[in-house]
Amino acid sequence: MISLKQFNESDAQGAQQAIAHCVAIETWQTELVAHRPYPDIEALHKVATELTAEWGKEALILALKAHPRIGERPMGESSEAQASRSEQAAVQDADQQSKEAIRLGNLLYEQRFQRVFLIRAKGRSPQDILAALEQRLQFSDAEDIEASVEQLREITALRLQEAIQ
């Protein structure tokens, strides 16, 4: 975590490194950095949100490269892996039956949509995640892309909120 002052005063590379774990979409990172300096946290979050407005399937595909399957322990020491471990803590601590249901749901989802199931796990129980997974399996591809992009926006906003204060 860094302060807004540190973010504003960092060189472009340092500022981008501070937010790189928020989402694996380099254009979002570079544009957010380019808008500095921010007068306050609210302005930073407003611009960050505006920059997500045009996200669609292409942005989702880019971002999914850095997202592990829900319920799988993210490996490595990258900032993305560390963030995912923290966000998925409730799933990691779930009972074996819930973990297995999520694992099977992931397989069905990936067979149906050819991508990883994405959900903001932070603040959700394993049962909430499983219910959302089952619901999204009923969606059309277009509906699920829309739902996935919204989840990506939520994840990005939470990570930014935790990264810069």
Side-chain angles (χ1 to χ4, degrees):
M1 174 181 26
I2 65 171
S3 70
L4 179 61
K5 182 178 189 305
Q6 290 170 309
F7 181 69
N8 281 335
E9 293 175 356
S10 294
D11 63 20
Q13 183 179 7
Q16 190 163 341
Q17 285 176 344
I19 61 169
H21 70 285
C22 295
V23 67
I25 301 174
E26 194 171 331
T27 55
W28 178 88
Q29 298 168 15
T30 57
E31 288 180 37
L32 192 65
V33 167
H35 280 83
R36 295 175 309 149
Y38 293 96
D40 53 41
I41 291 290
E42 292 76 21
L44 170 70
H45 289 285
K46 182 176 188 271
V47 170
T49 299
E50 289 169 356
L51 292 173
T52 69
E54 298 302 315
W55 284 356
K57 185 175 183 175
E58 291 165 6
L60 178 64
I61 291 167
L62 276 175
L64 285 177
K65 292 177 183 175
H67 281 273
R69 283 182 185 94
I70 194 80
E72 288 186 2
R73 187 156 177 82
M75 303 305 288
E77 293 305 314
S78 70
S79 54
E80 291 93 347
Q82 291 173 7
S84 290
R85 276 193 294 275
S86 170
E87 293 159 357
Q88 291 195 35
V91 178
Q92 296 302 319
D93 295 338
D95 62 86
Q96 197 56 44
Q97 184 177 352
S98 296
K99 285 181 180 180
E100 182 62 10
I102 290 170
R103 187 187 73 76
L104 292 173
N106 278 333
L107 291 174
L108 290 171
Y109 182 92
E110 288 176 28
Q111 288 171 352
R112 176 157 165 59
F113 294 112
Q114 304 299 304
R115 62 181 165 267
V116 173
F117 173 68
L118 184 68
I119 189 167
R120 176 192 41 79
K122 188 168 188 138
R124 289 192 165 117
S125 71
Q127 294 75 23
D128 294 338
I129 291 168
L130 187 56
L133 178 53
E134 290 170 352
Q135 179 186 30
R136 298 231 330 251
L137 279 166
Q138 306 307 311
F139 285 7
S140 69
D141 189 57
E143 290 170 327
D144 187 69
I145 288 170
E146 187 177 319
S148 296
V149 169
E150 184 54 39
Q151 292 302 301
L152 181 61
R153 288 182 182 115
E154 289 182 24
I155 293 164
T156 303
L158 279 171
R159 288 181 177 182
L160 181 62
Q161 186 176 27
E162 292 170 353
I164 302 173
Q165 296 187 353

